[in-house]
């Protein structure tokens, strides 16, 4: 890390695993812990809050939901995570009991490095999987530095607009389709580098518009993805019961390995998730400040 770099452009690689304690707070979920977490996220792009695990009973889990919602409200403004208007969402494999629910975070499959829409994502672990389900984090600044050493013109490609997709209910849209406003994958604002990337949505929008991505755009996305998967850039760990990950969605990408779960529903891997909008604490370019995507009712 360069000593004069703005906090959210600071680069780190897999060796940060040896310093994970510096990004960890041992405390109950509280306003004080949230303030400490903000300072660590501004420094590293993420923080881990370690509190006591929750008993596997509905009353205890409901209490933890309340604690998490209060904690998230101190970080910024909790926002809805879908048209269903969830503020605290269950991240759990329902794929064998809810056939129509194909959301990736509700299955046991692998998730590649990506960003979510809000400023911050909060993930609290109630129960770990039988095996697997490891988390991966990678610094956007480190990815871009590696790309620039290979082909700086491809970094420039990612700074230009890409087609974007919005789901039904997002920004008041009645149906899913290409967004009227393209968005760059990478952006700079007052020295802060930020990223908004979910590649399947870019490709879906390009197909729907009938304007295939240019060869250079595909090459830029391919190189970015390859660098995001480099082992020497990636921090890997398993979130344990009682631990809460607070992640800045613009400076750090996150991913998850596939996992094997317990057959009993009550023992399955179970996380609670919040989306937090916090532009005051973590300002980025307006192109990357997405706000509350699902606040508006659908326009029919």
């Amino acid at each position: 890390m360069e000593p004069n770099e703005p906090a959210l452009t600071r680069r780190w690689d897999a060796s940060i695993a040896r310093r994970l304690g510096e990004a960890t707070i041992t405390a109950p979920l509280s306003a004080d812990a949230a303030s400490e977490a903000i300072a660590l996220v501004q420094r590293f792009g993420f923080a881990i809050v370690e509190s006591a695990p929750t008993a596997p009973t509905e009353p205890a889990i409901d209490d933890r939901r309340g604690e998490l919602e209060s904690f998230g409200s101190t970080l910024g403004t909790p926002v809805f995570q879908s048209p269903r208007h969830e503020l605290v969402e269950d991240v759990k494999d329902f794929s064998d009991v809810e056939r129509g629910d194909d959301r990736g975070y509700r299955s046991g499959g692998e998730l590649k490095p990506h960003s979510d829409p809000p400023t911050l994502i909060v993930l609290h672990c109630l129960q770990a999987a039988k095996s697997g389900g490891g988390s991966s984090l990678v610094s956007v600044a480190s990815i871009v530095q590696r790309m620039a050493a290979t082909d700086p013109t491809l970094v420039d490609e990612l700074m230009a607009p890409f087609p974007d997709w919005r789901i039904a209910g997002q920004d008041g849209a009645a149906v899913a389709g290409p967004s009227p406003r393209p968005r760059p994958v990478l952006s700079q604002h007052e020295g802060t580098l930020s990223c908004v990337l979910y590649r399947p949505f870019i490709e879906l929008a390009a197909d729907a518009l009938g304007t295939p991505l240019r060869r250079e755009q595909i090459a830029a996305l391919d190189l970015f993805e390859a660098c995001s998967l480099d082992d020497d850039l990636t921090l890997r760990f398993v979130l344990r019961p009682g631990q809460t990950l607070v992640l800045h969605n613009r400076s750090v990408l996150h991913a998850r390995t596939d996992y094997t779960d317990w057959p009993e529903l009550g023992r399955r891997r179970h996380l609670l998730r919040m989306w937090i909008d916090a532009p005051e604490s973590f300002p980025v370019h307006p192109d990357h400040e997405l706000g509350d995507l699902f606040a508006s009712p659908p326009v029919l």
Side-chain angles (χ1 to χ4, degrees), residues 38 72 75 77 89 108 176 183 194 203 217 221-222 235 265 297:
I38 288 172
L75 295 171
T77 303
E89 173 69 308
R183 177 179 291 114
S194 63
E203 294 171 340
Q217 289 176 308
L221 290 171
D222 286 347
L235 169 64
L265 289 177

Side-chain angles (χ1 to χ4, degrees), residues 50-256:
E50 191 155 352
S51 52
T54 303
T57 64
E58 285 303 320
I61 293 173
D62 286 343
D63 287 346
R64 185 53 55 97
R65 286 179 192 276
E67 293 171 10
L68 189 68
E69 188 165 352
S70 178
F71 173 80
S73 297
T74 308
L75 295 171
T77 303
V79 296
F80 298 130
Q81 301 181 44
S82 81
R84 299 172 179 85
H85 284 184
E86 311 98 330
L87 286 178
V88 179
E89 173 69 308
D90 293 287
V91 178
K92 191 172 182 179
D93 185 0
F94 291 96
S95 58
D96 59 342
V97 292
E98 295 185 15
R99 300 295 181 186
D101 193 342
D102 58 357
R103 289 172 284 178
Y105 62 90
R106 289 201 179 218
S107 68
E110 177 185 16
L111 296 176
K112 290 186 176 180
H114 65 283
S115 64
D116 282 2
T119 307
L120 302 175
I121 184 173
V122 179
L123 284 170
H124 175 77
C125 182
L126 292 171
Q127 191 151 290
K130 183 177 181 181
S131 63
S135 296
S136 301
L137 306 181
V138 58
S139 161
V140 170
S142 294
I143 295 171
V144 172
Q145 182 188 38
R146 182 150 295 178
M147 284 186 69
T150 303
D151 188 341
T153 66
L154 295 184
V155 176
D156 294 337
E157 283 288 340
L158 296 180
M159 293 282 187
F162 275 71
D164 191 28
W165 184 263
R166 61 183 182 186
I167 68 170
Q170 180 179 327
D171 298 323
V175 296
S179 171
R181 184 181 176 187
R183 177 179 291 114
V185 172
L186 298 175
S187 190
Q188 287 267 9
H189 177 68
E190 296 180 354
T192 296
L193 177 67
S194 63
C195 176
V196 172
L197 176 65
Y198 186 59
R199 185 168 180 173
F201 278 2
I202 292 176
E203 294 171 340
L204 194 60
D207 288 344
L209 291 167
T211 55
L213 296 175
R214 293 182 290 105
R215 180 180 59 188
E216 294 82 3
Q217 289 176 308
I218 294 171
L221 290 171
D222 286 347
L223 181 57
F224 187 93
E225 182 175 299
C227 293
S228 76
L229 295 170
D230 282 350
D231 284 339
D232 64 327
L233 296 185
T234 303
L235 169 64
R236 304 184 194 280
F237 61 96
V238 175
L239 205 61
R240 301 192 304 272
Q243 290 186 323
T244 304
L245 173 67
V246 182
L247 181 72
H248 185 252
N249 264 314
R250 299 292 170 264
S251 66
V252 177
L253 302 185
H254 61 287
R256 184 195 72 200

